[in-house]
Amino acid sequence: MELFHVGLAALIERNENFLVLRRSPSKDFAPNSWEPVTGRLEQKEDPRDGILREIGEETTIKARVLMPVDTWFFYRGGKENPMVFIVFWCKHVEGEVKLSWEHTEYRWITLKEAASEPALKLFHRCFERVEKLKQHLPKDFAF
Amino acid sequence: MELFHVGLAALIERNENFLVLRRSPSKDFAPNSWEPVTGRLEQKEDPRDGILREIGEETTIKARVLMPVDTWFFYRGGKENPMVFIVFWCKHVEGEVKLSWEHTEYRWITLKEAASEPALKLFHRCFERVEKLKQHLPKDFAF
């Protein structure tokens, strides 16, 4: 019986920019690094509900999920924590960012910045995918 | 520590049609029902590698993953089996379908058939998403 933690991330778009946060120095995993909103799925939770919960907890903003754009497997901090990660392209709906204890700074950056910033290396592929999809999909695309 | 099984499905496209399979009567879950290629992620396996493995095991064809299009949570057969499901849009690369013991029939059907066939209800939303994406993305779209 193969069991996994499920990690989630949100690439949140607002006026052609995307939200990135700086992890607090007290985080056990990757302190001080830059990342999109991330979090862990809770039991009985749909992944789309889970990422919206995390967005609320980490930023207080309201967003909607557009679509998943990437997924991968990794060990989060050790072999005892196998994790499947799912990354969603999301759109800002309303509200301004108010950070929780989990982060110390935030920035709204362009896709080109996001896909080239060394501190966001883990997410370059996801941002590149969103950039490629945005070349073809209408601005108001939704399912 | 919330842990999940991870289920995978592939909507495999070939010449504008999509592959669906009929589950064997001996399957413990949903016998005789129609479905895309599905399977369960194995330990240390990337979800994209996992779905390509399942495609090979269930059909012998070679395919490539285009992108994830949907994800959801459900209990597979009971509360002891919480599962996160990830659905991929895939493209046929080469080979003809040869079924394993897991299925008894297969069909290549149009997106309209797939999104309206009652036996595929669980996957209607995924097929509708692919249909919507195909309205905008070029035929040779790839990341």
Side-chain angles (χ1 to χ4, degrees):
Chain A
M1 302 296 269
E2 308 296 359
L3 291 163
F4 303 85
H5 298 275
V6 174
L8 307 167
L11 311 185
I12 308 171
E13 181 178 1
R14 182 185 193 177
N15 302 330
E16 301 293 314
N17 289 317
F18 287 78
L19 181 62
V20 292
L21 314 170
R22 190 169 195 191
R23 290 170 72 87
S24 293
S26 60
K27 289 285 239 179
D28 64 332
F29 184 71
N32 296 311
S33 64
W34 287 88
E35 62 178 10
V37 168
T38 63
R40 206 179 287 208
L41 190 63
E42 296 180 354
Q43 206 51 269
K44 301 185 196 177
E45 194 174 50
D46 191 278
R48 293 157 305 171
D49 297 334
I51 194 60
L52 294 180
R53 174 184 50 72
E54 289 287 348
I55 292 169
E57 289 173 5
E58 297 190 354
T59 71
T60 78
I61 66 175
K62 282 192 185 163
R64 64 182 170 80
V65 171
L66 190 56
M67 67 177 86
V69 290
D70 208 351
T71 179
W72 63 79
F73 170 85
F74 78 122
Y75 290 105
R76 187 196 180 280
K79 296 283 180 191
E80 68 281 14
N81 286 317
M83 178 176 274
V84 167
F85 212 73
I86 305 171
V87 182
F88 294 95
W89 177 10
C90 301
K91 298 271 190 150
H92 173 270
V93 174
E94 61 180 15
E96 299 300 325
V97 174
K98 294 187 190 72
L99 296 177
S100 73
W101 69 271
E102 296 193 70
H103 297 98
T104 54
E105 296 176 63
Y106 73 92
R107 289 168 62 202
W108 292 95
I109 63 178
T110 65
L111 272 174
K112 289 216 182 306
E113 288 173 311
S116 62
E117 166 59 51
L120 288 165
K121 190 172 177 193
L122 188 61
F123 297 96
H124 282 182
R125 188 174 71 184
C126 316
F127 283 114
E128 286 164 2
R129 287 181 167 210
V130 170
E131 190 170 18
K132 195 139 190 182
L133 287 167
K134 278 171 65 67
Q135 289 169 10
H136 301 287
L137 301 180
K139 272 190 195 305
D140 61 348
F141 181 81
F143 287 123
Chain B
M1 303 296 270
E2 309 296 0
L3 290 164
F4 303 86
H5 297 275
V6 174
L8 307 168
L11 313 184
I12 307 171
E13 181 177 0
R14 181 185 193 176
N15 303 330
E16 301 294 314
N17 289 317
F18 286 78
L19 180 63
V20 292
L21 314 170
R22 192 170 194 190
R23 289 169 72 89
S24 294
S26 59
K27 288 286 240 179
D28 64 331
F29 183 73
N32 296 309
S33 65
W34 287 88
E35 64 178 8
V37 168
T38 64
R40 206 180 284 207
L41 189 63
E42 297 181 353
Q43 204 52 267
K44 302 184 195 178
E45 194 174 50
D46 190 279
R48 293 157 305 169
D49 296 333
I51 194 60
L52 294 180
R53 173 184 52 73
E54 289 288 348
I55 292 169
E57 288 173 6
E58 296 189 355
T59 72
T60 78
I61 66 175
K62 280 191 186 166
R64 63 183 171 81
V65 172
L66 191 56
M67 68 177 87
V69 291
D70 208 352
T71 178
W72 63 78
F73 170 85
F74 79 123
Y75 289 105
R76 187 196 181 281
K79 296 282 180 191
E80 69 281 14
N81 284 319
M83 180 176 271
V84 167
F85 212 72
I86 305 171
V87 182
F88 294 95
W89 177 10
C90 302
K91 298 272 189 146
H92 172 272
V93 174
E94 61 179 16
E96 298 300 324
V97 175
K98 294 186 190 71
L99 296 177
S100 72
W101 69 270
E102 296 193 69
H103 298 97
T104 54
E105 295 177 63
Y106 73 93
R107 288 169 61 202
W108 291 95
I109 64 178
T110 66
L111 272 173
K112 288 216 183 306
E113 289 173 309
S116 61
E117 165 61 50
L120 288 165
K121 191 172 178 195
L122 187 60
F123 297 96
H124 282 181
R125 187 174 72 182
C126 316
F127 283 114
E128 286 163 2
R129 287 181 167 210
V130 170
E131 190 169 20
K132 197 140 189 181
L133 287 168
K134 279 171 64 69
Q135 288 168 12
H136 301 288
L137 300 181
K139 272 191 197 303
D140 61 348
F141 181 80
F143 286 121

